[in-house]
Amino acid sequence: MDIAHSGTPSPLRRIGLGDGLFALALVCAASFALSQYGAFMDIYDKAILVAVIPSLAAIGWAWKPFRVFLAAATALALLSINLYGGDLARAEQAFFLKYLISSQTAIMWMSALFFIATGAYWIGLIARSDFAEKTGSALTWSAVTMGTTGLLVRWYESYLIGTDVGHIPISNLYEVFVLFSLITGLLYLYYEGHYATRRMGAFVLLVISAAVAFLLWYTFSREAQEIQPLIPALQSYWMKVHVPANFIGYGAFALAAMIGVADLLVRKGILASRLPPAEVLDDVMYKAIAIGFAFFTIATILGALWAAEAWGTYWQWDPKETWAFIVWLNYAAWLHIRLTKGLRGPMLAWWAVIGLLVTAFAFVGVNMFLSGLHSYGSL
Amino acid sequence: MRQRSTSRAFYELISSMRFAISLLTVLGIASIIGTVLKQNEPYNNYLNQFGPYWFPIFEELGLYAVYNSAWFLLILAFLVLSTTACIIRQTRPMLKDMRSFREHAKEASLAAFQHHERLRTALPTDNAAQQVQAYLAANGFQSRVGAREDGVLLAAKQGSWTRIGYFLAHSAIVLICIGGLLDGNLPLKIQMALGGKTTTSGNQLISDIKPESRLGLDNWSFRGNVFIPEGKSSNVAILNVKDGILLQDLPFTVSLRKFHLEHYSTGMPKRFASDILITDKASGKTVEKTIEVNKPFEFDGIMMYQASFEDGGSRLHLLGHDLRSGGKAPFPTDATVGEAIKLKRDGLDYTVELGSFRPFNIENMANEEQVETSAVARLEKHLGSGARSVSKKDLRNVGPSFEYKLRDSAGQAREYQNYMLPIEQDGAWYMLAGMRDSPAAPFRFMRIPMDQDGKPDSWFAIRSMLLDKSRHAEIASRFVATALGADAGEKVRTRLHETTQKTLELFALGGFESLGKFIESTVPAAERDKAADVFVKILEGSAWEAWKLARSVAGQPAPELDQKLGRLLRDSLNATSDSLHYGAPVYLQLTGFEEVRATVLQVTRSPGKPVVYFGSLLLVLGVFAMLYIRERRLFVLIKHSGDALVALSANRKSMDVEEAFQRHRKAIAALLEPAATPPAQS
């Protein structure tokens, strides 16, 4: 199998007409959002919105399919908002809302699509079917599109409950599980395109499916999907930057761990003829941990800045903070061993897999077993 | 000499990667302890948890404040030391390496690179060198030309800044640790050790606290809480240290004008805000400000945050109902939340400690109906908007409540929680009176039924009749008269009278529980249900007679028996039975209140904050520079003989190094041999 790489030095040099239109569309979308919803934002919210534009543009320029995804999710969300027309009860009456693009329904679609995508990738892997793998890929794209639509619409719905209730839907365990699934899915799709192989999907989609399974359990048995207003400590623009940065970290670490599993199997000769070679897996694992570590560092620092404002101290060894610190130490050590010692091989893969356990504990375990300031989503 | 080699070995050890990784691991494991064991709790909690044997051992190990313990700080100190040593050790070689182009590299060593390839050139050396140099510059390389006997070596590099990333990230760690130490409680520990400051107990008036427990205005690092009730002011902060407190004088006085507490309709808190007035002691300058969660305020170098709120001493108006048999009429009394009152009257000797007061309580009053539905129907219920609640909810404000401890003369205490307003349950209205024996247990509620007038008075009247032994004979006679017609024989009358009196006696002793035990011990198993029915009928009849009696004693007209009244009688019996296990001879009914709130502001002076923030900035820059700036060195050797060599090295092995090498090799090969190159293939 060939690993085809784009042969040009900088992706930013290949900006074409589509990229220009994409950037223009983003600017228009931001202007529309500012004019339409500016009254609900403070100066920091607006600054974040403006800063998001170049970031999204850069992602779209470096990774072309992202543009289509973003356009589709935005179009669906706008359609949904239009169908709502400011009346929550429409979710029960309008067919498209009830069965397609109201927030809960869209998230259900995301869940179903992720499950089917997982199956498709596995069929593709076992039966060496190119078609099944392509199907898996398309399903994963659809899943992240529906999930993003779901979150965007949920954001709007929260304001329909009451303008004092409205907030970005990344405030509790339910919402961040959706976010986690989306970010992990998108990171995977990026690497799938970058390394031109769909063979890793079977493994990465497993961890997303696990998250989705948890999400469904959380919905059906704990009714966690209901939009809740924000407690005073969470009413801050910091949430908009702290939480997504954190979940880029969690998502990347989860992805690295699943690649680690594949890497270990390949090294043992299991599925070795079907999966990409160990050196490719090793490279993806490193890239994922590097991006995860960089964003986790930012997220932790942003969290500290927020904590200083909300709780009066930037660091107070709250269980969530301490576990974030442990996660950070873990991957710092991983990167040191690899980059400075130049170590390669199964040990790093094992370490990445164990890293997921530490990360999962920091993400969910702390809420379940320990009490502290971050108890926004107890089980 | 030996001395020197030992210190050298020590330096080598602490600046080594192995040592750093071990430190990170130890630090990670040590941090876990503090997340498993709740930190900075009152020492009594730990004593209860671990018992008298382990408590002092764990205290000695510093487990109650792990992150401030000497051993944890020592690990951090070693991390700082190790990182510093590492920076010092790496600086010289790294800077040298950054600056150097290695334009004198030997051909043999270039040929030993993992990424290298021999090429041919058709151009004259100078021309070839110029072209390659232009290519290198266009591709973001800095290059240097090294002329040599057999030709020329172009040594190029890019991304050397990644080395700067190393310095940034590692100095950031040192800065953050130092800043953190300045803001931690180390400065306080030093002051206590050197300045002779000692903690004192929190249970005393602020004016009684001695100077050795007060910290002056010159203290440059502290974190404490200021407690201010509405309409009052404060100029000291309280620092919790271990099991005691220290007092921190503030350079200003803070008065609380008003505390705002807003809630969503679900009862969830929405906004905490304090309207405060700050008066500077030195200048007399005043500032008015509203502090909210997420909106702190800085004054005189001291940050003030909305930390929490408490009751500031609300005034509660209570009505005490004596629950003892033959008890006296209800008595009014007043109490202040947070204080204790003596209850010493009519043979009662108790202390009431008023713990808390809640002006409202939101409860979900919906009856949970478990309806089994199909999977499709369940899924359908979860579609639609996220705003919809799937389970039925009926959120209602059920009014104020308060909690208190009732302590007897022997020091034994039970906790009570009473609601001010009646609450509807199963179609009737009740006053809820909760009790628990230990703080860990949930409250068990006695439901006091409300009569037609919406008052608990009927229950108190019925209850006192039923439990008053001197009335039992009279109630029994009245019950017999009502239950049996005039034609019943004397024998039957006597027996029923005896049974009724016995029933009332047992019920007065321990409610339904005593009756149940009596039935179990005297009636054969097969007839118990029937017997129980009889007892309940007798009790209900007696309760009815008791009430009529109570009303005639009070000079009120006799009531008419209807369905509602029947319910009231049954509820009265239940509540009377429960009241025998209430554990207190008095029920305190809340009749009115004047709420006073207090705010708790956290005040800090943290000199390390700018250092930590600057360190964080360096850390982010450093991490990105280290991970995303790729250092590449490209060497192109062009010989007069027409031979050429391209070699590429990177500071890290990764797949894109090979990819970059191939790209540059192809391009350079095309430059050197324009004619021989086939059209570009991708």
Side-chain angles (χ1 to χ4, degrees), chain A residues 6-298:
Chain A
S6 52
T8 33
S10 163
L12 292 184
R13 291 201 188 161
R14 291 174 294 136
I15 297 168
L17 181 65
D19 295 310
L21 288 175
F22 178 63
L24 189 67
L26 283 172
V27 171
C28 291
S31 317
F32 174 73
L34 277 175
S35 68
Q36 188 83 357
Y37 304 121
F40 301 108
M41 305 178 190
D42 65 19
I43 183 74
Y44 300 102
D45 292 309
K46 288 176 182 165
I48 291 168
L49 176 63
V50 170
V52 158
I53 300 310
S55 322
L56 288 178
I59 296 175
W61 291 345
W63 181 31
K64 308 295 179 195
F66 182 77
R67 300 175 305 180
V68 182
F69 148 76
L70 199 63
T74 311
L76 284 174
L78 286 175
L79 176 64
S80 178
I81 289 170
N82 193 37
L83 285 172
Y84 264 117
D87 179 14
L88 266 178
R90 292 278 295 153
E92 302 303 309
Q93 300 145 7
F95 179 84
F96 279 108
L97 284 182
K98 173 91 186 170
Y99 294 105
L100 207 63
I101 47 173
S102 61
S103 72
Q104 271 317 109
T105 314
I107 290 167
M108 286 292 170
W109 274 111
M110 175 201 82
S111 308
L113 288 164
F114 269 134
F115 281 142
I116 307 169
T118 311
Y121 274 122
W122 274 99
I123 292 171
L125 188 72
I126 301 295
R128 297 177 197 270
S129 157
D130 206 31
F131 173 73
E133 283 180 347
K134 279 186 177 154
T135 310
S137 203
L139 286 167
T140 309
W141 275 113
S142 320
V144 293
T145 308
M146 285 313 268
T148 308
T149 305
L151 283 189
L152 290 172
V153 174
R154 190 178 167 90
W155 197 346
Y156 173 74
E157 285 169 357
S158 70
Y159 276 90
L160 289 186
I161 298 176
T163 49
D164 60 336
V165 175
H167 59 86
I168 185 170
I170 48 175
S171 68
N172 60 28
L173 201 57
Y174 173 83
E175 291 165 350
V176 296
F177 253 93
V178 180
L179 184 71
F180 171 80
S181 310
L182 291 180
I183 289 182
T184 315
L186 282 171
L187 281 170
Y188 164 70
L189 287 168
Y190 173 74
Y191 289 122
E192 180 180 281
H194 186 75
Y195 287 85
T197 172
R198 298 197 167 88
R199 301 286 163 81
M200 302 176 293
F203 284 88
V204 178
L205 266 280
L206 279 183
V207 75
I208 300 178
S209 287
V212 168
F214 174 86
L215 191 69
L216 291 180
W217 170 81
Y218 206 34
T219 305
F220 282 99
S221 89
R222 295 298 165 92
E223 307 293 354
Q225 81 288 353
E226 205 184 322
I227 296 172
Q228 300 288 349
L230 292 181
I231 59 166
L234 287 180
Q235 295 165 7
S236 169
Y237 60 91
W238 284 108
M239 188 162 77
K240 289 182 176 172
V241 284
H242 168 61
V243 179
N246 228 319
F247 278 85
I248 295 176
Y250 285 151
F253 294 149
L255 185 138
M258 295 319 285
I259 300 294
V261 172
D263 184 285
L264 288 170
L265 290 177
V266 168
R267 285 174 200 276
K268 288 211 161 69
I270 303 164
L271 295 172
S273 65
R274 293 181 164 84
L275 283 167
E279 57 173 6
V280 173
L281 294 172
D282 184 75
D283 207 55
V284 179
M285 191 165 68
Y286 162 70
K287 290 247 167 69
I289 285 182
I291 191 96
F293 182 75
F295 274 91
F296 199 76
T297 306
I298 293 180

Side-chain angles (χ1 to χ4, degrees), chain B residues 304-530:
Chain B
M304 280 173 273
Y305 305 87
Q306 180 66 57
S308 62
F309 68 95
E310 282 175 26
D311 195 287
S314 296
R315 196 86 185 130
L316 303 185
H317 307 299
L318 305 171
L319 190 63
H321 294 272
D322 197 334
L323 294 178
R324 292 170 302 173
S325 105
K328 300 282 189 300
F331 58 92
T333 181
D334 281 0
T336 305
V337 173
E339 291 175 8
I341 53 164
K342 279 273 172 214
L343 210 62
K344 210 166 179 158
R345 49 181 297 142
D346 307 330
L348 291 171
D349 185 9
Y350 285 89
T351 312
V352 183
E353 300 165 16
L354 279 117
S356 66
F357 166 72
R358 290 170 62 91
F360 69 93
N361 290 277
I362 306 283
E363 304 281 344
N364 185 5
M365 306 297 280
N367 292 319
E368 280 298 324
E369 37 195 294
Q370 282 293 334
V371 187
E372 280 301 314
T373 45
S374 69
V376 178
R378 280 191 73 196
L379 175 66
E380 188 118 5
K381 268 171 82 177
H382 286 88
L383 299 181
S385 81
R388 194 167 56 121
S389 170
V390 172
S391 51
K392 212 174 86 186
K393 273 192 192 151
D394 180 13
L395 297 176
R396 264 189 245 167
N397 179 4
V398 298
S401 69
F402 74 114
E403 279 182 32
Y404 61 95
K405 269 188 193 159
L406 197 64
R407 198 176 289 282
D408 65 19
S409 49
Q412 293 295 314
R414 280 198 178 85
E415 283 183 60
Y416 295 88
Q417 183 190 37
N418 293 343
Y419 286 83
M420 181 179 180
L421 303 174
I423 292 166
E424 191 183 12
Q425 284 186 336
D426 314 322
W429 294 83
Y430 305 92
M431 295 280 253
L432 293 188
M435 186 275 281
R436 64 181 173 191
D437 294 319
S438 82
F443 280 105
R444 286 179 291 138
F445 285 95
M446 170 166 84
R447 304 200 300 179
I448 300 174
M450 310 304 288
D451 56 27
Q452 295 106 312
D453 305 331
K455 287 186 178 159
D457 299 0
S458 300
W459 177 71
F460 283 114
I462 296 169
R463 181 184 179 280
S464 77
M465 279 292 167
L466 283 175
L467 299 184
D468 188 352
K469 281 203 184 89
S470 62
R471 298 282 189 180
H472 284 177
E474 194 181 350
I475 297 173
S477 306
R478 282 167 168 252
F479 172 65
V480 171
T482 319
L484 301 177
D487 49 341
E490 193 55 36
K491 221 173 155 190
V492 184
R493 279 176 191 283
T494 319
R495 257 191 75 191
L496 183 61
H497 192 277
E498 271 171 19
T499 314
T500 309
Q501 217 171 339
K502 176 77 185 162
T503 308
L504 288 171
E505 204 177 294
L506 280 167
F507 187 73
L509 208 64
F512 289 119
E513 204 181 304
S514 314
L515 276 173
K517 277 189 190 141
F518 176 75
I519 294 172
E520 261 176 43
S521 60
T522 54
V523 182
E527 290 167 39
R528 278 181 197 162
D529 282 353
K530 219 171 128 190

Side-chain angles (χ1 to χ4, degrees), chain A residues 3 5-9 13 84 88 91-92 97-99 102-105 108 154 157 161 164-165 195 219-221 223 225-236 238 279-280 283 286-287 290-295 297-298 301 304-314 316-319 322-323 325-326 328-329 332-333 335-342 344 351 370-371, chain B residues 17-18 21 23-25 27-29 31-32 34-39 67 72 76 79 138-140 170 173 176 179-181 183-184 223 264 266 268-272 292-296 303 305-307 375 378-391 393 602 604 606 608-609 612-613 615-617 619-620 623-624 626-628 630 651-656 659 663:
Chain A
I3 309 298
H5 283 290
S6 52
T8 33
R13 291 201 188 161
Y84 264 117
L88 266 178
E92 302 303 309
L97 284 182
K98 173 91 186 170
Y99 294 105
S102 61
S103 72
Q104 271 317 109
T105 314
M108 286 292 170
R154 190 178 167 90
E157 285 169 357
I161 298 176
D164 60 336
V165 175
Y195 287 85
T219 305
F220 282 99
S221 89
E223 307 293 354
Q225 81 288 353
E226 205 184 322
I227 296 172
Q228 300 288 349
L230 292 181
I231 59 166
L234 287 180
Q235 295 165 7
S236 169
W238 284 108
E279 57 173 6
V280 173
D283 207 55
Y286 162 70
K287 290 247 167 69
I291 191 96
F293 182 75
F295 274 91
T297 306
I298 293 180
I301 290 169
L305 295 178
W306 186 4
E309 213 160 84
W311 301 327
T313 161
Y314 51 83
Q316 52 185 333
W317 299 101
D318 167 66
T322 310
W323 275 94
F325 176 61
I326 293 168
W328 190 85
L329 285 181
L335 287 167
H336 272 95
I337 291 278
R338 186 186 151 110
L339 295 179
T340 314
K341 286 269 166 204
R344 295 286 190 284
W351 195 339
L370 308 173
S371 59
Chain B
M17 169 75 79
R18 190 175 303 165
I21 297 286
L23 268 180
L24 294 187
T25 315
L27 195 57
I29 292 167
S31 311
I32 294 177
T35 67
V36 177
L37 181 61
K38 267 191 144 183
Q39 300 286 292
Y67 308 108
F72 193 82
L76 279 180
L79 186 71
N139 280 274
H170 288 78
I173 302 295
I176 290 171
L181 278 183
D183 290 347
R223 176 178 311 287
Y264 297 103
T266 58
M268 258 174 73
K270 178 175 166 184
R271 179 168 178 254
F272 306 133
E292 287 185 50
V293 179
N294 273 312
K295 285 172 191 160
M303 274 295 232
Y305 305 87
Q306 180 66 57
R378 280 191 73 196
L379 175 66
E380 188 118 5
K381 268 171 82 177
H382 286 88
L383 299 181
S385 81
R388 194 167 56 121
S389 170
V390 172
S391 51
K393 273 192 192 151
Q602 189 180 110
T604 70
S606 34
K609 199 157 111 172
V612 171
Y613 285 8
S616 302
L617 178 69
L619 183 63
V620 172
V623 165
F624 272 88
M626 281 170 83
L627 294 174
Y628 291 105
R630 296 161 181 158
N651 63 335
R652 266 160 215 160
K653 281 200 285 181
S654 77
M655 286 181 66
D656 34 271
E659 175 252 320
R663 184 154 43 84

